[in-house]
Amino acid sequence: MESIKNISELQAGTLLKEDVFSKTKYPIMRKETELTLEHIDVLRAFGVTQVRVLEGLEKNDETSSDSSATEDGNGKVPNSMHWLKDIYDKTVRDYKREFNYWRSGQLPDVAKIRSFIIPLLEKFIAQKRMLTFLNDFSTPEEYIYHHPIAVGILSAAIGQQMGYEKGDIIQLGLAGTLADSGMAKIAPSIVEKTAFLTPEEYNEVKKHTLFSVKMIQLSPLIRQDMKLAILQHHERLDGSGYPRGEKMETILVFSQILAVADVFHAMTSDRLYRPKHSPFKVIEMIKEDEFGKFDIKVVDALQNLVGSLSIGTRVKLTNGEFGEVMFLHRDAPLRPMIKKDSDGLIIDLSTNRDITIDSILE
């Protein structure tokens, strides 16, 4: 049963029926938040006078089961979502088999790629919260096979977040998956190297965008604009990318979607030669350190997908502490104020720049 209650009527333990906004782009509190007295004080501070709540209900079994997670070797995945990881793992194995065919000289069977990637894209788009686990699914040893699948998923999800039609979304997912197909033409000793590449080796890797386009250029199942996006997915708006050093309006938005998905997954995944970064840190780096290289609309869409926070969100910090979001800074939404579980003290991530959010907890 649901009802609308004045803030003065709220009690600890009440569940919110819907997200709460207060002249904010993002919700200050998420639906199904179990209110504490501190939550109620925060609502008052934001000038919220009424909220829609659920009465006579505890968090249901489905929500509770989602919140429990088990170690599966690739990070923590909610028990209720292991079926999705199983499908993801099978898709990676399917891609690996195709990749080895390409190494032997065969051209990509785009129809076959479509047959196993599209069902996975649709499942992840329907379960957006699982996008935050993509970096945990990947393994350093098999990164070359995980990365294209994750880029396809993220590209499709970003496309949907930006309001594109289903046809565009599917094409983005397919293009993202095939963007690195040309890596099959690069020497395995370079592709599978466990240390940083030399300048000469890196120049060889740069050729993969051209190889990718040549391998799929005759396929009628990929649109021409998506073929161009594959070619351009390492171009940057400031002209610092490759293969042609293109700038600004000469780079398609679709190319930028693939580029942001590619960089985000690469930087949030463990590699044999370096550890992964926090998704929140990576979005911050893309926005600040890489400012001017990526379309901000695309980056904002990614942030809304994997970095959206609200008051009451449970998080793990990069220093190993656990806590709860208590306040969101309008100009620094990725660096909120966190109440630590260990001592109850508040830490402001906007001033403690050496600490970031590592992950959102179910």
Side-chain angles (χ1 to χ4, degrees):
M1 178 177 160
E2 64 178 83
S3 65
I4 297 176
K5 282 191 175 290
N6 295 323
I7 297 302
S8 60
E9 300 176 292
L10 293 177
Q11 297 180 349
T14 301
L15 289 176
L16 290 176
K17 164 65 176 172
E18 58 191 13
D19 292 346
V20 179
F21 294 82
S22 178
K23 299 179 181 179
T24 53
K25 182 178 179 180
Y26 306 110
I28 62 171
M29 220 164 282
R30 290 286 186 188
K31 66 180 180 180
E32 295 188 353
T33 294
E34 186 174 355
L35 296 178
T36 64
L37 294 178
E38 289 171 325
H39 287 139
I40 296 170
D41 287 341
V42 168
L43 290 171
R44 287 197 184 94
F46 273 87
V48 177
T49 57
Q50 292 182 325
V51 292
R52 193 178 297 275
V53 301
L54 294 168
E55 292 189 292
L57 292 174
E58 298 298 328
K59 289 189 175 180
N60 58 37
D61 291 341
E62 179 183 356
T63 304
S64 299
S65 66
D66 284 353
S67 66
S68 62
T70 57
E71 294 286 350
D72 65 352
N74 295 319
K76 287 193 172 182
V77 179
N79 289 333
S80 62
M81 287 293 145
H82 274 216
W83 63 271
L84 183 54
K85 185 180 184 304
D86 290 341
I87 298 172
Y88 168 91
D89 287 341
K90 181 182 182 303
T91 304
V92 171
R93 292 194 297 272
D94 290 339
Y95 178 88
K96 180 178 179 179
R97 183 181 61 251
E98 297 301 311
F99 189 87
N100 287 328
Y101 290 152
W102 307 337
R103 274 184 165 168
S104 68
Q106 296 186 32
L107 293 177
D109 183 340
V110 179
K112 186 179 291 185
I113 300 295
R114 277 177 56 95
S115 71
F116 62 68
I117 194 62
I118 291 178
L120 187 66
L121 301 177
E122 292 174 338
K123 288 178 174 61
F124 267 92
I125 288 174
Q127 301 286 343
K128 286 191 178 70
R129 63 197 180 92
M130 291 301 292
L131 294 171
T132 61
F133 291 98
L134 277 174
N135 59 329
D136 290 322
F137 289 176
S138 181
T139 62
E141 298 79 12
E142 300 249 275
Y143 171 81
I144 188 176
Y145 311 117
H146 284 269
H147 182 63
I149 301 304
V151 171
I153 292 168
L154 287 166
S155 298
I158 292 171
Q160 189 199 51
Q161 185 71 25
M162 293 180 69
Y164 286 106
E165 297 293 332
K166 184 174 181 179
D168 290 328
I169 294 167
I170 295 300
Q171 282 282 307
L172 279 166
L174 186 60
T177 303
L178 288 166
D180 278 359
S181 57
M183 294 294 278
K185 302 304 179 184
I186 308 297
S189 60
I190 295 176
V191 175
E192 297 164 9
K193 188 175 180 180
T194 60
F196 287 103
L197 300 177
T198 65
E200 293 77 18
E201 291 169 334
Y202 184 51
N203 285 333
E204 283 299 305
V205 169
K206 284 182 176 181
K207 297 176 183 178
H208 80 275
T209 57
L210 292 168
F211 290 145
S212 295
V213 170
K214 288 180 180 179
M215 289 166 64
I216 53 88
Q217 65 181 347
L218 298 180
S219 174
L221 298 178
I222 307 176
R223 295 189 333 221
Q224 288 301 116
D225 54 356
M226 295 300 167
K227 292 174 183 176
L228 181 55
I230 288 173
L231 176 66
Q232 292 183 334
H233 79 279
H234 280 287
E235 298 287 5
R236 301 294 181 257
L237 297 182
D238 63 357
S240 63
Y242 64 84
R244 298 188 292 199
E246 297 192 56
K247 292 184 179 181
M248 300 302 288
E249 66 276 359
T250 62
I251 302 174
L252 299 182
V253 174
F254 292 146
S255 309
Q256 279 280 291
I257 291 174
L258 266 59
V260 169
D262 176 85
V263 168
F264 177 77
H265 184 256
M267 295 178 70
T268 57
S269 297
D270 277 321
R271 308 290 290 274
L272 290 171
Y273 53 87
R274 64 151 177 79
K276 65 184 179 182
H277 294 288
S278 151
F280 289 82
K281 180 64 176 176
V282 170
I283 293 174
E284 189 174 74
M285 291 166 69
I286 292 173
K287 281 193 160 185
E288 297 178 5
D289 300 349
E290 303 295 313
F291 180 77
K293 295 185 178 184
F294 300 98
D295 188 324
I296 193 64
K297 297 189 297 297
V298 177
V299 180
D300 283 344
L302 174 67
Q303 179 177 322
N304 291 339
L305 284 168
V306 301
S308 182
L309 296 167
S310 61
I311 292 171
T313 300
R314 299 273 306 149
V315 297
K316 178 184 177 183
L317 303 179
T318 50
N319 65 354
E321 293 258 22
F322 295 85
E324 181 179 329
V325 175
M326 299 306 296
F327 180 77
L328 292 167
H329 299 287
R330 181 178 300 177
D331 57 345
L334 297 174
R335 289 190 164 274
M337 296 175 70
I338 307 292
K339 181 181 178 181
K340 297 186 292 179
D341 290 351
S342 59
D343 53 19
L345 296 179
I346 303 291
I347 179 172
D348 189 345
L349 300 186
S350 69
T351 56
N352 289 269
R353 303 291 296 183
D354 56 329
I355 302 172
T356 59
I357 293 174
D358 178 72
S359 58
I360 295 175
L361 303 177
E362 289 296 311

